[in-house]
Amino acid sequence: MRRPLRTHGHRAATAVALACALTAASQQGARADPQTLTEVQARLESLYHRAEVATDKYDAADGRVKAQTRRVGSLTSQVRATEARLTRLNSLAGAAARAQYRGGGVPAELQFALASDPGRALDNAGLALQAQQNTQNLLTDLKTTKASLRTRTDEAAAELTRLRASRRAMATQRRTIEQHIAEAKALESSLAAKERARLADLEKNDADRAQAKWESTGILQKVGTDATTAGQKAIAFAVKQIGKPYVWGAEGPDSYDCSGLTSQAWLAAGVTIPRTSEQQWAQLKHVPIEDMRPGDLIVYFSDASHVAIYVGGGNIISAPRPGRVVYVSPAASMQILGVVRPDA
């Protein structure tokens, strides 16, 4: 169960306390307590991770909204087409009724009995019976169309209700994301430039150690080195996005979040994949890490809240988090959950 969000006052107090501890140590001519800086790093990682989890949920809600919007649009088009058909059938039924009325509504059998030319009467009788049958068919079709129209209208109303619910959920996720990001940015901005540089070094050292440990297993001698044609296109797209900012909920062309980048990269390769990292992990084919190849997606953390595209040589391209840009980084710099293959 996640802890409730801290209040603005509590966040400010935490940031100020950490900043004061770091500043005091610097003023004494000594390095800041490593444990204090480590606590700042851990807090930032926690905040940004929670923001990414919320972002993934927002993206999923947004995807449902878009899908429902398309569905409602389709139903609306069907309703309009059915109404047009209904109008046409009403017109035809009325025309048939008027024709029968003008003909006196004489039964076909009587027309045959009174005709001077039995052969012609037989033809007239067949036409009359056919007209009557056509009229009945039209009326039956009219009733069916009305029922179908009512059903489609009900479906459209239900879709609209779910659409509004999804939008409310999306709005809640938006506020959650903004709170996490604001708290993390406030904490980072409370640090002096010198301490921010040391924090960046600490993050890089941690990533390098994790990568070295991963590579020491001999994994790079096992993984594939050749991407498929589609994989090459996906990687080429990702490379072109390097340097563009991370923005939660974004899927290009000027900014991306993590799954926005991976989904758009594979879309550029002609392969449509789910929008969020959680959905990509759940719906795409899993492959063992030692069998992965460039173009595959590496999913991170136990909740599948982050994803990146593997580009070979032990590296990934990803949109990491707010305040950062799309960049190349070590594949094992974060906790790997597994690998999925979009073009399996």
Side-chain angles (χ1 to χ4, degrees):
M1 179 177 180
R2 293 189 185 122
R3 291 174 295 179
L5 291 174
R6 302 187 180 195
T7 65
H8 177 73
H10 195 161
R11 292 199 301 270
T14 300
V16 170
L18 288 168
C20 288
L22 294 172
T23 302
S26 297
Q27 290 174 343
Q28 294 171 3
R31 292 178 61 83
D33 179 3
Q35 181 59 40
T36 302
L37 195 56
T38 299
E39 289 173 355
V40 174
Q41 180 190 27
R43 179 63 177 157
L44 285 171
E45 289 179 352
S46 174
L47 288 170
Y48 280 125
H49 179 76
R50 291 169 68 185
E52 194 156 41
V53 171
T55 297
D56 210 47
K57 292 184 181 300
Y58 168 84
D59 289 341
D62 185 56
R64 287 192 293 270
V65 167
K66 290 177 179 177
Q68 288 174 351
T69 299
R70 289 192 296 269
R71 175 63 176 158
V72 169
S74 175
L75 285 170
T76 300
S77 296
Q78 292 180 46
V79 167
R80 288 173 180 169
T82 303
E83 287 176 337
R85 189 180 179 204
L86 186 59
T87 300
R88 180 172 177 272
L89 287 176
N90 268 317
S91 177
L92 290 174
R98 287 192 298 273
Q100 283 186 295
Y101 177 78
R102 286 194 299 270
V106 179
E109 298 82 358
L110 186 57
Q111 290 184 25
F112 176 77
L114 298 176
S116 58
D117 183 348
R120 186 175 180 81
L122 190 60
D123 291 339
N124 290 337
L127 291 173
L129 288 171
Q130 185 64 48
Q132 291 175 2
Q133 185 61 52
N134 287 345
T135 300
Q136 186 59 49
N137 290 341
L138 286 174
L139 292 174
T140 300
D141 201 4
L142 181 61
K143 293 177 182 178
T144 301
T145 301
K146 285 183 177 179
S148 177
L149 178 57
R150 282 195 296 269
T151 298
R152 288 191 171 97
T153 301
D154 290 343
E155 289 175 351
E159 290 287 345
L160 285 172
T161 299
R162 287 192 288 273
L163 177 61
R164 295 189 185 101
S166 290
R167 281 179 173 163
R168 287 194 295 271
M170 185 172 65
T172 299
Q173 291 302 325
R174 181 190 297 272
R175 290 191 293 271
T176 301
I177 295 166
E178 289 172 343
Q179 287 173 327
H180 290 327
I181 293 176
E183 186 175 355
K185 286 183 175 179
L187 180 54
E188 281 190 298
S189 64
S190 71
L191 302 176
K194 181 178 176 181
E195 301 307 332
R196 287 198 295 271
R198 288 179 55 203
L199 183 61
D201 288 341
L202 185 61
E203 292 175 351
K204 183 178 184 304
N205 291 338
D206 286 348
D208 289 344
R209 280 195 296 271
Q211 182 74 5
K213 181 179 180 181
W214 186 63
E215 291 185 7
S216 70
T217 64
I219 188 67
L220 295 186
Q221 282 68 52
K222 299 176 183 178
V223 300
T225 57
D226 297 323
T228 61
T229 300
Q232 291 173 354
K233 292 179 180 178
I235 292 172
F237 177 91
V239 168
K240 291 180 180 178
Q241 313 316 308
I242 291 175
K244 294 183 179 181
Y246 175 104
V247 174
W248 63 267
E251 48 187 331
D254 299 321
S255 58
Y256 297 89
D257 63 20
C258 67
S259 56
L261 176 64
T262 55
S263 60
Q264 289 301 304
W266 272 98
L267 184 61
V271 179
T272 300
I273 65 175
R275 170 62 177 88
T276 72
S277 58
E278 190 175 89
Q279 292 168 335
Q280 289 169 10
W281 174 247
Q283 298 178 34
L284 298 179
K285 179 183 178 181
H286 291 207
V287 296
I289 295 178
E290 60 270 19
D291 292 338
M292 75 175 175
R293 65 193 182 203
D296 286 345
L297 305 181
I298 302 181
V299 182
Y300 294 92
F301 306 116
S302 60
D303 52 10
S305 59
H306 188 74
V307 64
I309 184 167
Y310 181 65
V311 296
N315 293 318
I316 57 172
I317 293 178
S318 72
R321 65 171 175 79
R324 300 287 175 83
V325 298
V326 176
Y327 77 134
V328 179
S329 61
S333 57
M334 297 167 283
Q335 178 191 352
I336 295 176
L337 175 62
V339 177
V340 293
R341 179 163 295 166
D343 59 342

